């Protein structure tokens, strides 16, 4: 079973608050991802990282930011939460594929964010 | 950019009926992966197909990769209530930074009525 952890599991917060969603993995994976998903809907890639100090924006525009200072840690921050940010945020990791494109993603349990 | 399209979006079946979901890519894929997400859960890796025309089976699940490596299917024989969930296909594409990243289809949500 994958060792990738997300906290908190649920977060209810007021508009305008700054929040950080935590994601950590203990598998030594180089690649990490953040996906946004509404219930039962498709997965939208919002951020990814290929290693320490390497981050790129995903396909879905997001007001969130990420950092990758340590291999195992990939937090996502929203400076000012709004109701439109209400969604589930899934973190994932995979080992480096050396250009093969065959990496298998391990997902965390997700953070369900509700902004009031 | 590259797209991965999946149909149908929803499928309701009676327990015991078969189920198939289809995945189509706008470009040739080096491989395709399938994931299952149970209601309230997170996606879990099921399988990866790499070779043209490849067929793999996992108990009642049969996965196929097309000859042109642009389409794939997942077929479930005699569905059970434990099969309920959303099935996603995913294929690699090249990011702006030159690395591989996975693009997911929109998923097929399967409901099984007992």
């Amino acid at each position: 079973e994958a060792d990738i952890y997300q906290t908190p599991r649920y977060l209810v917060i007021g508009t305008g608050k700054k929040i950080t969603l935590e994601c950590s993995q203990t598998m030594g994976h180089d690649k990490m991802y953040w996906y946004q998903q509404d219930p039962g809907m498709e997965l939208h890639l919002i951020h990814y990282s290929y290693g320490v100090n390497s981050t790129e924006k995903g396909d879905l525009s997001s007001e969130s930011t990420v950092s990758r200072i340590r291999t195992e840690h990939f937090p996502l921050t929203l400076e000012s939460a709004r109701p439109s940010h209400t969604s589930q945020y899934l973190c994932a990791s995979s080992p480096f594929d050396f250009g093969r494109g065959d990496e298998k993603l391990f997902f965390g349990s997700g953070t369900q964010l509700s902004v009031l | 950019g590259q797209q991965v399209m999946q149909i149908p979006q929803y499928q309701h079946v009676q327990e015991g009926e078969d189920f198939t979901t289809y995945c189509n890519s706008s470009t040739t894929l080096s491989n395709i992966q399938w994931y299952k997400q149970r209601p309230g859960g997170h996606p879990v890796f099921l399988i990866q197909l790499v070779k043209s025309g490849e067929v793999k089976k996992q108990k009642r699940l049969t996965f196929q990769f097309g000859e042109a490596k642009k389409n794939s299917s997942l077929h479930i024989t005699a569905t059970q209530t434990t099969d309920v969930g959303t099935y996603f296909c995913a294929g690699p594409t090249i990011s702006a930074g030159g690395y591989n990243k996975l693009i997911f289809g929109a998923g097929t949500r399967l409901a099984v009525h007992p």
Side-chain angles (χ1 to χ4, degrees):
Chain A
E1 191 65 28
D3 296 315
I4 179 165
Y5 308 100
Q6 287 187 246
T7 57
R9 184 72 178 91
Y10 301 95
L11 179 61
V12 181
I13 202 161
T15 297
K17 299 291 185 183
K18 178 180 178 178
I19 60 168
T20 297
L21 308 184
E22 300 288 349
C23 177
S24 295
Q25 50 96 5
T26 58
M27 297 172 284
H29 287 169
D30 288 306
K31 300 172 90 168
M32 295 189 75
Y33 309 80
W34 277 103
Y35 289 88
Q36 184 175 340
Q37 183 187 37
D38 291 325
M41 303 300 284
E42 58 190 296
L43 295 154
H44 294 288
L45 180 65
I46 53 175
H47 296 284
Y48 50 102
S49 169
Y50 298 108
V52 171
N53 295 324
S54 154
T55 62
E56 290 188 25
K57 288 190 178 294
D59 304 308
L60 180 68
S61 176
S62 173
E63 293 165 346
S64 59
T65 59
V66 292
S67 63
R68 189 91 182 274
I69 299 173
R70 302 196 319 265
T71 297
E72 63 271 21
H73 194 214
F74 192 39
L76 181 145
T77 298
L78 272 168
E79 290 293 333
S80 180
R82 294 205 304 270
S84 61
H85 296 138
T86 295
S87 188
Q88 176 168 240
Y89 293 83
L90 287 161
C91 180
S93 74
S94 67
F96 197 76
D97 65 326
F98 298 100
R100 293 191 304 266
D102 62 351
E103 73 263 42
K104 163 186 167 182
L105 263 60
F106 295 87
F107 283 86
S109 297
T111 293
Q112 180 61 51
L113 173 65
S114 296
V115 184
L116 307 178
Chain B
Q2 179 181 348
Q3 290 185 318
V4 175
M5 293 149 287
Q6 206 172 337
I7 56 170
Q9 187 175 4
Y10 301 99
Q11 186 79 57
H12 300 254
V13 298
Q14 288 294 129
E15 190 172 20
E17 291 181 340
D18 292 356
F19 158 78
T20 304
T21 174
Y22 300 91
C23 184
N24 291 287
S25 169
S26 56
T27 60
T28 301
L29 299 169
S30 60
N31 69 88
I32 195 156
Q33 301 180 21
W34 286 90
Y35 292 77
K36 177 183 179 181
Q37 184 176 23
R38 294 180 185 275
H42 58 277
V44 175
F45 175 85
L46 292 177
I47 207 161
Q48 180 186 81
L49 304 172
V50 179
K51 299 176 183 176
S52 170
E54 188 170 13
V55 178
K56 286 188 176 180
K57 292 190 175 185
Q58 289 180 351
K59 297 183 181 178
R60 295 176 295 103
L61 277 61
T62 301
F63 303 85
Q64 288 189 313
F65 201 12
E67 294 289 340
K69 301 182 76 173
K70 295 179 72 172
N71 57 76
S72 180
S73 65
L74 158 58
H75 179 82
I76 302 178
T77 304
T79 55
Q80 299 175 359
T81 54
T82 53
D83 296 325
V84 165
T86 302
Y87 293 85
F88 294 96
C89 62
T93 187
I94 303 297
S95 74
Y99 295 98
N100 282 302
K101 61 174 183 176
L102 274 183
I103 297 292
F104 281 81
T108 296
R109 192 187 302 181
L110 173 64
V112 180
H113 302 289

